[in-house]
């Protein structure tokens, strides 16, 4: 197995600052935006984006967290019991622009499940998507509105996002499974 760092702590900081500026630039007003992080690493990313927007724009953006585990379409086929985390959305989402925040976009199935969970909570005006990493391999027609970095990957590679809040370090690595000699 080989592991290569593709984003350092400083790269992540700059990327989130850029995305925060893009959100500000594309929004008529930041007062109707709610950032909702997807468990687990989307939550601290959403909080960091909100802090950046507040620094740049002076507007405090509500931040929530969303557990979509019971909305997954692979519960029966994966033969496991999901660990249900909390959903905490501090404001009414009706007629708001919701920006879902996740660390890695892969097949799109998690985002579909998150949108189903969100629509059960309320009726947003729009749902946008921020991902730190887009690695490709979409199985559903899901496209992020804001992307930190596109990292085309093969199916034998894994993208690992580590954040200070969850892993005591900030970095993104790509891990490649290598075949051992003689196998």
């Amino acid at each position: 197995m080989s592991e290569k760092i593709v984003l350092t702590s400083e790269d992540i900081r700059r990327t989130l600052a850029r995305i925060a500026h893009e959100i500000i630039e594309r929004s008529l007003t930041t007062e109707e935006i709610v950032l909702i992080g997807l468990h687990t690493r989307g939550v601290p990313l959403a909080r960091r984006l909100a802090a950046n927007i507040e620094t740049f724009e002076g507007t405090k953006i509500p931040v929530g967290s969303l557990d979509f585990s019971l909305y997954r379409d692979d519960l029966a086929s994966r033969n496991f019991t999901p660990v249900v985390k909390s959903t905490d959305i501090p404001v009414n989402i009706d007629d708001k622009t919701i920006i879902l925040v996740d660390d890695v976009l892969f097949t799109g199935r998690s985002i579909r499940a998150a949108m189903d969970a969100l629509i059960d909570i309320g009726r947003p005006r729009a749902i946008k998507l921020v991902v730190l990493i887009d690695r490709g391999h979409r199985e559903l027609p899901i496209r992020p509105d804001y992307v930190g970095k596109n990292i085309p990957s093969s199916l034998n590679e894994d993208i690992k996002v580590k954040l200070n809040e969850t892993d005591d370090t900030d970095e993104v690595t790509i891990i490649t499974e290598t075949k051992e000699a003689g196998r």
Side-chain angles (χ1 to χ4, degrees), residues 8-27:
T8 64
S9 176
E10 181 61 16
D11 294 331
I12 293 171
R13 186 198 63 74
R14 277 195 311 265
T15 297
L16 292 175
R18 176 182 50 79
I19 292 171
H21 280 294
E22 287 178 19
I23 290 169
I24 293 166
E25 289 169 7
R26 293 187 202 172
S27 301

Side-chain angles (χ1 to χ4, degrees), residues 49-90:
L49 284 169
N52 282 337
I53 292 169
E54 185 173 5
T55 298
F56 303 147
E57 197 69 7
T59 306
K60 189 166 181 63
I61 304 293
V63 179
S65 62
L66 181 66
D67 176 34
F68 57 90
S69 56
L70 296 178
Y71 289 82
R72 295 180 58 101
D73 64 2
D74 59 355
L75 288 178
S77 65
R78 290 182 67 180
N79 201 14
F80 78 103
T81 304
V83 176
V84 178
K85 299 177 179 86
S86 66
T87 291
D88 176 29
I89 300 177

Side-chain angles (χ1 to χ4, degrees), residues 75-140:
L75 288 178
S77 65
R78 290 182 67 180
N79 201 14
F80 78 103
T81 304
V83 176
V84 178
K85 299 177 179 86
S86 66
T87 291
D88 176 29
I89 300 177
V91 296
N92 183 330
I93 65 168
D94 291 342
D95 209 33
K96 302 277 197 233
T97 297
I98 303 302
I99 301 179
L100 292 176
V101 182
D102 204 6
D103 57 350
V104 178
L105 178 57
F106 186 31
T107 63
R109 292 186 179 277
S110 292
I111 301 305
R112 186 219 38 94
M115 288 191 300
D116 287 348
L118 193 61
I119 289 169
D120 275 355
I121 295 168
R123 188 176 192 292
R125 175 183 313 127
I127 300 173
K128 306 288 185 179
L129 176 61
V130 169
V131 295
L132 183 61
I133 305 296
D134 183 351
R135 67 171 286 187
H137 302 284
R138 217 76 77 239
E139 295 174 2
L140 298 173

Side-chain angles (χ1 to χ4, degrees), residues 1 176-183:
M1 178 173 21
T176 306
E177 294 293 325
T178 54
K179 294 182 180 180
E180 295 180 31
R183 287 192 176 190

